[in-house]
Amino acid sequence: MTAPGWLLRVLGGLPKPAKRVPGRDGPPRPLSRERVADHLLSRGYRFVVDDDGDLTGTWDGSRFWFLLLGEQQEILQVRGRWHRQLALEHRPALALAVNDWNRERIWPKAYLREEEGALALYSEVSADYEPGVTDLQLAQLVSCGLGTGVQMFAAVEALLPHADGAADSLPDD
């Protein structure tokens, strides 16, 4: 199975797109749900609008939301929820793994929540665009939120025991 192009690019497997010349991206414009949706569509991503009016879709099996937060909806947050849930007795080990992730990396912020008697793992990348956002900035945040969230979920997956009881080790970064 091959990884999608955006994931390969984030993980270094594809060449970077040509750099844009500063100033050619246009001036910052107000952040809106429509701009986020237009960007997702331009990338060929599939998503839906949930009952709360939020954009959401699935990447590598995990659910991601594109949330507009703040008084004027000026903060864009890409929030992911890992497709697996773990038993509550795994909290100490998983909390250590999440703490290590947050200490060693800038993105995404990772955290655990207890939901319906099990542990759920989340990722978040947020940016405040009160003065507006360029198309390039919007693209970078969406790419960062999705790419690093998927990467973090894969790293935690590699730490878990497989059916034979053996756990994969994470490669050094």
Side-chain angles (χ1 to χ4, degrees):
M1 179 172 123
T2 60
W6 65 269
L7 181 57
L8 287 173
R9 194 168 16 270
V10 168
L11 299 178
L14 286 178
K16 293 181 181 177
K19 291 193 176 205
R20 295 184 184 197
V21 176
R24 292 219 177 150
D25 189 32
R29 296 180 290 133
L31 178 64
S32 69
R33 189 167 283 109
E34 292 74 26
R35 286 192 63 201
V36 176
D38 288 346
H39 171 72
L40 295 172
L41 289 171
S42 76
R43 300 290 308 195
Y45 295 153
R46 293 181 305 184
F47 63 93
V48 297
V49 178
D50 67 14
D51 293 339
D52 296 324
D54 299 316
L55 306 176
T56 184
T58 304
W59 278 261
D60 286 5
S62 295
R63 173 71 53 194
F64 284 82
W65 292 266
F66 305 89
L67 306 170
L68 272 59
L69 307 171
E71 289 181 20
Q72 288 94 32
Q73 296 194 327
E74 72 279 10
I75 299 168
L76 176 59
Q77 181 179 89
V78 180
R79 180 184 301 169
R81 184 182 184 282
W82 193 31
H83 67 277
R84 292 186 60 183
Q85 287 186 296
L86 297 173
L88 294 177
E89 66 252 19
H90 296 293
R91 184 187 303 267
L94 200 50
L96 285 173
V98 166
N99 191 47
D100 287 347
W101 179 276
N102 286 331
R103 183 184 59 248
E104 296 170 8
R105 292 169 182 83
I106 298 171
W107 300 296
K109 172 179 79 175
Y111 61 93
L112 300 170
R113 285 182 52 176
E114 185 175 330
E115 297 175 353
E116 300 176 6
L119 292 176
L121 176 62
Y122 283 85
S123 68
E124 287 183 3
V125 173
S126 304
D128 185 344
Y129 292 125
E130 185 175 353
V133 59
T134 67
D135 290 342
L136 181 58
Q137 290 170 323
L138 180 61
Q140 287 174 332
L141 185 75
V142 168
S143 177
C144 179
L146 291 173
T148 62
V150 166
Q151 184 181 26
M152 189 264 296
F153 296 147
V156 171
E157 181 83 39
L159 294 172
L160 297 177
H162 293 277
D164 62 4
D168 293 336
S169 61
L170 285 177
D172 291 333
D173 290 344

